[in-house]
Every structure is written in C-alpha cells, then in structure tokens.
C-alpha cells in the first residue's frame, strides 16, 4: 500500500475530493487515484466525521461509509427512492482489498422503512439520524449537483429501485373504523410487503457490490367498515345432516322450536288459586311443581327412601331460576354433613347438575330439607325416555327366563324383531352415553366424592343425547353417620358407582330394567353379545365384576375400552358447535338491524321534541320519514302492498353502512321528490338520534 502525496505526484484528477484522503490523510490507490487529495477545511469536520462514521479501527482496512450516506440521504424523496438515488447502484459496496461491510450495518440499513410518508425531521423511520449537522454540511458541499459517488470504481448497470408501496399507509384503510382497525390482524397480512428482500452480492472489477433485491409487491387488503349478512359457511352448507337452507335471515325451525319449548317451561307458573304450595321459601319465590308428586304406593320405588318433590323457583337475590328438591319430613340432626355439601359445590362438569345450596325450612308445614340445583328446562330422565313404553316390560317364560324380542344376528345380517317391538338401541348412542357418564364419574371420583345416583330416574337427557347426572350429594346428607369420618366410605361408594354404570348400560342394551335383575343378568349378557360388539360386552363384564382386594376398579380403566370411539363423540360435538355458531351468526345480524329499527322508531312520528311539535316533520327528520315510507310502504303497480323482506334488510344494511348509492324518496302526496344517498341519510339519522339521546341524558 502506497501513501500518496498530493504535492509531488502527478496523476490525472477529477474536480472531486477523495474521501479516503480526507478521512485518514492517505489513500488506498496512492498515485493512481483519480480524485483530488486535499485536506478537509477544518479539523472539526474531520473529528465529526470520524466520530459518526468510522466503523472499526483507524487502520487502512477500515470501511468508511461517509460518501454513501449522503447519497442515501439525498435519495429520499417523498418517502420513495428518487431516480438518482444511489446512482443506480441499489446497494452498498466494499473496498477492493476484500474487506466486507459490517453485517449489522447492512442489515440495519436494509430494514429501514423508506416508504412511509411521515418521517420526523432529523430522523429516518423513527430512528436517530446518523449524520451530524456538520457532516451534512460537509457532504452537501462535496456534491452541489447531486450525490457523490460512493467508491472510485465502475458501477454495475442496475436499474433504479422501484418505489415500494406500503399498504399500511395507503388510503384504503381510511375507511376502517378506529375500533375495527385496532382489532384487525394488519401485521400478518402485510408482513411480506414490509420485510426486506434477500441480500445479493456481485463482484465487478475486483470490487464487491451488495444490494437488496426488490421484493414482489403484495396486494393491499381492504376491510369493510360496516357489517351485513354473509352467505352460509361452506363447511356448514355441505354437511349431510344439515336441513334445507330456505331461510338465510333466521335460525332453523328445529332449534327455534326447542328454544321456545325451553322458554315456555321456564315461564310456567302455578295457578294463583292453588294454595298447596307456599308463595316463598327462604329467598325463593314463584314455586311451580315440575314432576308428579309421590304417592304412598310408590314408596318402595323411591330412590332416596323419602318422599321427594321438585319445584321450579326463582331466586330473589340473583333473579335466576333453580330447582328445589324437597325431602319431606326430614330433620337435619348433624350439621357436620354440610362439609360434604361444600365439596359438592366446588364440583363442576358438563355432565353434572350442579348443587348450589342446601337449607332446612318449615314453610311447607313440616321439617323439610331443600337441595337447590341448576334448572335445565325440557330435560327428561332416561327412565321416561327409554323405559316407559310398553316394550320395556319383557315376558317371562315357563322356566323363568326372559322373552327377548329379537333373535341372534349373523354377521352382516340385521336382526329380525317380532312385530310391536322396537329394534335394539344403536350402539353408537350407547357409547355416547358411556363416554359422558364415565367423564362425569372421573371428575367426581377425582374430587374424593361418589355420585351414588347412577340410576335411570336420576340421569337427565337434554336434547338428543346430552346427559347430566342429577341429585348428587343427597345421599351424603341423608345417610351421614357422625360416628365415622365423612370420607371413610367413599372408596366403597365409588365401586358401587361403577357397578351401577354397568347395570345401566346392560339395561339400555336390552331396553328393559328386568335385564339387570340378578337372576337374569347372564341371559341378558348373552342377548347383548348377539346384537352388539365384543368391546361393549367386555366393558359391561368389567363393570359388573367384583373388585379384587389387590386391584380396585377404577373409572380410568374405562377409557382404554372406549378407544377410538372417543374421537367420534368429539367430532359430533364439534359439528354441533359449528352448526350452533352458524345459527348464532344469523341472529347477531338480526339484533344489529333491530337496534337500527329501534333508533328509527324513536325519531319518526315523534309528537314533540324541545317544545317543537313539528320537529319530526322538518329538516333532516323529514328525509327519515320519507325513507320509512320507502322502506315499509312499497306498493305494486296496481296499488297492492308489496312485501319483500330482502328489500327491507338490504336497505337497512345500506343505511347503516352509509353507502354512496342514491335512493329516490317520494312524499305521500307525490308533490316532492328527493334524490339522496344513503350516506346523507345516515348523517341525518345519526344526527337526529344524537339530539334525542343528548336530551334524555340532561
């Protein structure tokens, strides 16, 4: 490396200063340099230059970028690269000695956002400017007519970089409301447009050039600032179990009927003339019986050994509806049993009816114990659903065996049934019951409790296949023994829960409660094996078997027997969630339009406002009156009323969105014709309603 001397050496020179000589007093090219070797005007300029731009040590191999940065700074024009930016180089270079640029510097410069239109003075993309005021003055004096060439070597003939379009700053997002704009996933949609392109390297004449390849421009995504009805999702439209989609504005008729039936049961009340039920019990009022009263002849069939009655009641503290299960003529002698009640209050599961409260009362004329549970309208017990028909009672042969309605079923051949008898229950439905009941038992047993009510009369069926175990905690209070620990008998009762589950499954498979009697269990298992799979038979045998002292039965052992059938149940539950979500989306739009109609109703035909009886007939309110007639009072050419729900829905959506579409409004006497846009109508609509709202708040 030869140090140059500008005083003695002769060389052809250009009327431009050499940046290497200005920085360190020497030049890499020595006498061969084509630029003027002159000292900087003052030491202050050199000090500022070294302080801000000298990357690395002050040796000959250090890479100084003092000439490239002024070119970059002058190329920023209105947020985009100008045609003279970087003189067509499109990147940064290294010197000819093989010293490459600093990776952190290159990556940092490559990530600078130069496409934004809002750059604070003295900053680049929100970062502090790397150029001091003295440096900017010095570099601008070097290039009066344009940017200085970054290096003394030939440049590749690369086109000027194209202006980058930033969709985040485009005018398209001005139509978004502030609330929606904050919740939209903007960054993931446009991350590819903002990310810098890959670094490219090219060597020409011994000099390595680094530049960033322009990334492909990503299309801007526009989000509407309004809401409207959308088509049904494709995954719901193509479901085989979906019903006819003849109504796109409201929920299906089946779901509506189910909800109406539940609401009707929730609003049922007792006859006011009936004085057999007290008007208020503790904090509960409006009692209404929801099941037939027990009679003395049914005492042998009572589950709890006491006469019980269920009432629907409303809690005056929270206004919610609950079920009160009354235990007749029971005196609570030991309050320690409330310890188990507190444990039951903490148990929550989707297949359990939650216990809320237990208290005693004399409102019925005796000492009664009240258990408060959640109310599930429209639910029926498994006893009423599957074991209340005439086919539930099987005949008994001369030898004492049961006369089942069907014969054996060979492989691939459906079983034949005698006329008047129903077919066996579908096995997938039985497995659905097993999965739900075992899931509830698993939660209860994990909490250190036992259900003790796995009985067809105490298991509720909601809808087609949703089960809930009812009456949990009652046996714990009625049979509480103060001489023993409250949890001493829990392991024994948990084994009884599993045995009761096996009996219930066997009864469902045989469609009769007679099948679980001790003398008929073996025959019932043989009948069940002829109509169902071996897995179901093995599960029932495991649940009915006596536990071994070394290995007690556990509800966790049921899961391996269920196997892959669990996924079928999970798939059915998710499909139902999708269907209900689709129906909810329809009603969400209906609620939105209902609010628009409520606002319009408070404005139209208002008798008086602010002592002005003609307020609703003048100004902007007159346009809304004409729009109301256009919306609801359309007629045909013959003068007959024209009813079209699609017309009403479409016009209300356009009004709320404030579109630029114009509508022709005609007065009732046909003397006035006004052509306005929905945007103008929305302005009038919001202004009139805000007047009423402001007056109501003062």
């Amino acid at each position: 490396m030869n140090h140059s001397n500008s005083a003695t050496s002769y060389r052809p020179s250009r009327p431009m200063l050499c940046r290497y000589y200005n920085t360190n007093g020497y030049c890499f090219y020595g006498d061969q340099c084509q630029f003027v070797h002159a000292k900087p005007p003052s030491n202050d300029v050199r000090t500022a230059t070294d302080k801000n731009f000298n990357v690395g040590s002050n040796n000959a191999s250090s890479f100084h970028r003092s000439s490239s940065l002024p070119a970059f700074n002058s190329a920023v024009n209105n947020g985009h690269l100008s045609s003279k930016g970087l003189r067509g180089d499109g990147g940064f270079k290294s010197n000819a000695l093989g010293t490459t640029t600093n990776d952190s510097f290159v990556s940092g410069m490559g990530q600078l956002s130069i496409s934004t239109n809002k750059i604070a003075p003295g900053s680049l993309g929100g970062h502090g400017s790397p150029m001091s005021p003295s440096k900017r003055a010095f570099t601008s004096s070097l290039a009066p007519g344009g940017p200085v060439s970054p290096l003394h070597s030939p440049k590749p003939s690369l086109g000027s970089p194209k202006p980058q379009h930033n969709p985040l700053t485009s005018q398209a997002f001005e139509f978004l409301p502030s609330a929606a704009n904050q919740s939209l996933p903007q960054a993931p949609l446009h991350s590819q447009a903002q990310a810098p392109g890959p670094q490219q390297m090219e060597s020409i004449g011994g000099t390595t050039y680094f530049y960033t390849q322009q990334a492909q421009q990503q299309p801007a995504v526009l989000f509407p600032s309004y809401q409207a009805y959308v088509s049904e999702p494709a995954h719901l439209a193509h479901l085989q179990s979906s019903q006819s989609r003849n109504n796109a504005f409201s929920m299906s008729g089946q779901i509506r009927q189910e909800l109406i039936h539940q609401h009707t049961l929730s609003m049922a009340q007792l006859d006011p003339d009936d004085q057999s039920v007290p008007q208020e019990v503790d904090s509960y009022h409006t009692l209404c019986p929801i099941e037939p009263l027990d009679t003395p002849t049914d005492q042998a069939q009572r589950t709890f050994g006491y006469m019980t009655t269920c009432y629907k009641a409303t809690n005056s503290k929270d206004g919610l509806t609950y079920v009160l299960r009354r235990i007749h003529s029971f005196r609570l002698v030991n309050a320690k049993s409330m310890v188990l009640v507190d444990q039951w209050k903490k148990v929550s599961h989707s297949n359990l009816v939650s216990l809320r409260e237990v208290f005693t009362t004399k409102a019925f004329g005796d000492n009664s114990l009240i258990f408060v549970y959640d109310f599930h309208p429209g639910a029926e017990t498994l006893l009423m659903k599957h074991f209340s028909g005439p086919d539930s009672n099987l005949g008994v042969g001369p030898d004492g065996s049961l006369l089942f309605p069907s014969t054996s079923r060979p492989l691939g051949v459906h079983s034949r049934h005698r006329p008047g008898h129903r077919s066996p229950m579908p096995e997938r439905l039985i497995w659905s019951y097993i999965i739900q009941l075992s899931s509830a038992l698993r939660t209860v047993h994990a909490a250190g409790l036992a259900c003790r009510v796995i009985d067809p009369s105490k298991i509720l069926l909601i809808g087609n296949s949703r089960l809930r175990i009812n009456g949990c905690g009652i046996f714990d209070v009625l049979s509480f023994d103060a001489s023993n620990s409250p949890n001493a008998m829990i392991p024994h009762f948990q084994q009884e829960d599993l045995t009761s589950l096996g009996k219930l499954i066997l009864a469902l498979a045989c469609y009769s409660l007679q099948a679980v009697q001790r003398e008929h269990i073996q025959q019932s298992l043989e009948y069940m094996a002829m109509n169902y799979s071996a897995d179901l038979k093995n599960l029932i045998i495991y649940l009915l078997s006596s536990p071994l002292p070394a290995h007690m039965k556990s509800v966790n052992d049921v899961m391996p027997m269920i196997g892959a059938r669990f996924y079928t149940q999970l798939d059915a539950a998710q499909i139902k969630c999708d269907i209900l979500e689709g129906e909810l989306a329809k009603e969400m739009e209906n609620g939105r339009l209902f609010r628009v109609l409520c606002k319009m109703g408070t404005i139209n035909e208002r008798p008086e406002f602010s002592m002005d009886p003609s307020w609703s007939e003048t100004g902007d309110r007159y346009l809304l009156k004409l729009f109301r007639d256009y919306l609801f009072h359309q007629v045909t050419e013959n003068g007959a009323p024209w009813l079209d729900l699609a017309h009403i829905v479409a016009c209300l959506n356009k009004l709320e969105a404030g579109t630029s579409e114009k509508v022709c409004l005609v007065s009732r006497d046909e003397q006035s014709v006004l052509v306005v846009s929905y945007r103008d109508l929305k302005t009038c609509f919001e202004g009139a309603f805000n007047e009423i709202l402001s007056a109501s708040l003062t």
Side-chain angles (χ1 to χ4, degrees):
M1 183 180 304
N2 298 325
H3 295 276
S4 61
N5 189 351
S6 60
T8 59
S9 57
Y10 170 78
R11 44 187 164 53
S13 61
R14 300 180 183 179
M16 306 178 88
L17 295 179
C18 177
R19 66 160 189 160
Y20 290 106
Y21 190 84
N22 292 339
T23 304
N24 296 326
Y26 55 86
C27 179
F28 291 121
Y29 298 93
D31 297 337
Q32 303 299 324
C33 183
Q34 301 178 4
F35 294 85
V36 177
H37 286 184
K39 294 183 178 180
S42 64
N43 294 332
D44 296 336
V45 175
R46 178 176 177 178
T47 303
T49 305
D50 293 341
K51 182 178 179 181
N52 292 280
F53 291 89
N54 189 8
V55 181
S57 59
N58 294 330
N59 52 25
S61 63
S62 300
F63 178 64
H64 301 277
R65 302 172 180 84
S66 58
S67 61
S68 63
L69 287 176
F72 174 80
N73 188 31
S74 62
V76 177
N77 182 16
N78 294 331
H80 301 287
L81 291 176
S82 64
S83 59
K84 299 181 181 180
L86 299 183
R87 302 189 67 179
D89 296 344
F92 304 98
K93 307 175 184 179
S94 67
N95 53 25
L97 298 179
T99 305
T100 58
T101 61
N102 191 307
D103 293 340
S104 62
F105 178 83
V106 173
S107 61
M109 295 299 292
Q111 293 177 358
L112 286 178
S113 178
I114 61 177
S115 61
T116 177
N117 295 330
K118 297 181 180 180
I119 301 181
S123 63
L124 287 174
H127 300 282
S129 175
M131 301 179 61
S132 62
S134 59
K135 181 64 181 179
R136 286 195 294 267
F138 173 68
T139 54
S140 61
S141 63
L142 295 180
V148 180
S149 175
L151 289 177
H152 322 302
S153 57
K155 272 71 67 177
S157 57
L158 298 177
S160 300
K162 298 179 181 179
Q164 294 183 354
H165 173 70
N166 190 352
L168 289 179
T169 59
S170 62
Q171 299 294 328
F173 277 80
E174 293 182 359
F175 297 98
L176 286 175
S178 58
N181 202 3
Q182 295 175 0
S183 61
L184 290 175
Q186 297 177 3
L189 286 175
H190 305 287
S191 59
Q192 296 181 358
Q194 292 181 339
Q199 294 290 336
Q200 302 293 332
M201 180 178 66
E202 185 176 0
S203 179
I204 299 179
T207 303
T208 304
Y209 298 86
F210 294 91
Y211 59 93
T212 302
Q213 185 177 5
Q214 289 291 334
Q216 184 178 2
Q217 181 178 353
Q218 299 296 329
V221 179
L222 304 180
F223 295 93
S225 59
Y226 55 88
Q227 294 185 7
Y229 286 93
V230 296
S231 60
E232 186 177 11
H235 67 280
L236 297 180
H238 294 284
L239 282 178
Q240 296 181 358
S241 58
S242 63
Q243 299 178 353
S244 58
R245 295 175 282 113
N246 53 0
N247 193 350
F249 299 134
S250 61
M251 68 174 62
S252 63
Q254 180 182 359
I255 298 179
R256 183 187 298 106
Q257 291 299 327
E258 293 178 358
L259 294 178
I260 291 177
H261 178 63
Q262 294 178 9
H263 295 170
T264 302
L265 296 178
S266 300
M267 295 184 295
Q269 296 182 1
L270 189 64
D271 188 356
D273 298 334
D274 192 347
Q275 302 298 328
S276 60
V277 178
Q279 295 183 356
E280 186 174 358
V281 177
D282 198 68
S283 59
Y284 298 88
H285 61 88
T286 318
L287 276 68
C288 179
I290 58 176
E291 68 178 15
L293 300 178
D294 284 345
T295 58
T297 57
D298 299 329
Q299 187 172 1
Q301 300 178 0
R302 293 170 186 164
T303 304
F304 304 110
Y306 292 86
M307 182 181 296
T308 61
T309 308
C310 284
Y311 301 92
K312 176 185 69 68
T314 303
N315 192 343
S316 58
K317 296 180 180 179
D318 55 13
L320 303 180
T321 304
Y322 296 93
V323 170
L324 307 183
R325 182 173 289 274
R326 173 195 173 195
I327 309 297
H328 294 245
S329 303
F330 181 84
R331 182 185 297 271
L332 185 64
V333 296
N334 197 329
K336 293 182 178 180
S337 60
M338 294 295 104
V339 176
L340 295 175
V341 173
D342 294 336
Q343 295 182 18
W344 275 110
K345 291 180 182 179
K346 300 177 182 178
V347 178
S348 177
H349 193 268
S350 58
N351 298 113
L352 286 176
V353 181
S354 300
L355 176 64
R356 300 302 178 185
E357 187 181 2
V358 178
F359 61 91
T360 58
T361 182
K362 293 184 178 180
F364 294 93
D366 62 350
N367 294 315
S368 298
L369 184 64
I370 306 297
F371 291 83
V372 182
Y373 294 93
D374 291 341
F375 178 53
H376 298 278
E380 57 180 347
T381 63
L382 289 182
L383 181 65
M384 299 171 57
K385 179 67 175 180
H386 299 297
F387 304 106
S388 60
D391 297 339
S392 59
N393 295 324
L394 300 178
V396 181
D399 55 351
S401 61
L402 295 178
L403 300 178
F404 288 101
S406 63
T407 59
S408 60
R409 179 178 60 181
L411 293 177
V413 180
H414 295 280
S415 58
R416 298 183 301 273
H417 302 273
R418 294 201 303 261
H421 293 274
R422 51 186 168 181
S423 303
M425 182 179 297
E427 185 171 350
R428 57 180 178 82
L429 181 60
I430 298 179
W431 282 110
S432 175
Y433 289 169
I434 294 173
I435 293 173
Q436 297 180 64
L437 295 177
S438 61
S439 177
L441 289 179
R442 180 177 177 273
T443 300
V444 173
H445 291 182
L449 299 170
C451 286
R452 305 178 65 181
V453 285
I454 307 298
D455 187 87
S457 62
K458 295 297 176 286
I459 297 179
L460 301 181
L461 177 63
I462 304 174
N464 295 328
S465 59
R466 178 70 176 275
L467 296 183
R468 287 184 181 268
I469 303 177
N470 187 28
C472 296
I474 297 180
F475 269 123
D476 295 332
V477 177
L478 298 183
S479 61
F480 181 77
D481 188 2
S483 59
N484 296 328
S485 173
N487 298 325
M489 296 297 295
I490 292 298
H492 172 72
F493 294 144
Q494 290 179 353
Q495 297 298 311
E496 288 187 350
D497 285 345
L498 297 178
T499 303
S500 300
L501 178 60
K503 292 182 179 180
L504 176 62
I505 298 173
L506 182 59
L508 291 172
C510 298
Y511 259 135
S512 176
L513 295 177
Q514 297 173 273
V516 298
Q517 297 177 0
R518 182 180 299 271
E519 61 273 14
H520 299 146
I521 286 182
Q522 185 60 34
Q523 183 184 2
S524 300
L525 289 174
E526 295 176 357
Y527 167 78
M528 188 269 305
M530 292 186 298
N531 293 276
Y532 297 97
S533 63
D535 293 340
L536 185 60
K537 177 183 177 181
N538 295 334
L539 174 61
I540 295 176
I541 293 176
Y542 170 78
L543 295 175
L544 295 180
S545 62
S546 300
L548 299 177
H551 179 70
M552 304 295 289
K553 293 185 296 184
S554 174
V555 68
N556 294 328
D557 297 335
V558 178
M559 185 61 191
M561 300 181 185
I562 296 175
R565 298 177 181 89
F566 174 81
Y567 298 107
T568 304
Q569 179 73 9
L570 180 62
D571 179 65
Q574 291 178 343
I575 289 178
K576 185 175 182 180
C577 289
D578 290 341
I579 295 176
L580 295 179
E581 184 178 352
E583 301 296 332
L584 179 62
K586 301 177 184 178
E587 297 304 319
M588 179 192 68
E589 299 299 333
N590 292 339
R592 176 178 57 83
L593 296 184
F594 174 74
R595 290 190 292 272
V596 175
L597 290 177
C598 289
K599 292 180 180 180
M600 186 178 297
T602 59
I603 300 172
N604 291 330
E605 306 293 342
R606 195 168 191 85
E608 178 270 338
F609 180 74
S610 297
M611 307 298 294
D612 184 6
S614 62
W615 179 81
S616 61
E617 303 290 338
T618 59
D620 297 342
R621 282 77 60 187
Y622 182 69
L623 290 177
L624 299 178
K625 177 182 178 181
L626 298 183
F627 178 74
R628 190 269 313 272
D629 293 340
Y630 172 80
L631 189 65
F632 297 108
H633 302 159
Q634 294 280 347
V635 295
T636 62
E637 297 178 355
N638 300 328
W642 182 64
L643 302 179
D644 187 2
L645 181 61
H647 165 73
I648 298 176
V649 172
C651 293
L652 289 177
N653 283 327
K654 294 175 183 178
L655 173 65
E656 190 189 31
T659 63
S660 59
E661 180 180 345
K662 296 185 181 296
V663 58
C664 181
L665 304 179
V666 183
S667 61
R668 295 183 177 181
D669 56 3
E670 298 183 356
Q671 298 299 317
S672 300
V673 178
L674 301 177
V675 179
V676 296
S677 64
Y678 283 99
R679 182 182 293 109
D680 298 333
L681 286 174
K682 181 180 180 180
T683 303
C684 300
F685 177 69
E686 292 179 347
F689 182 77
N690 289 334
E691 288 185 37
I692 299 176
L693 183 61
S694 300
S696 65
L697 298 177
T698 57

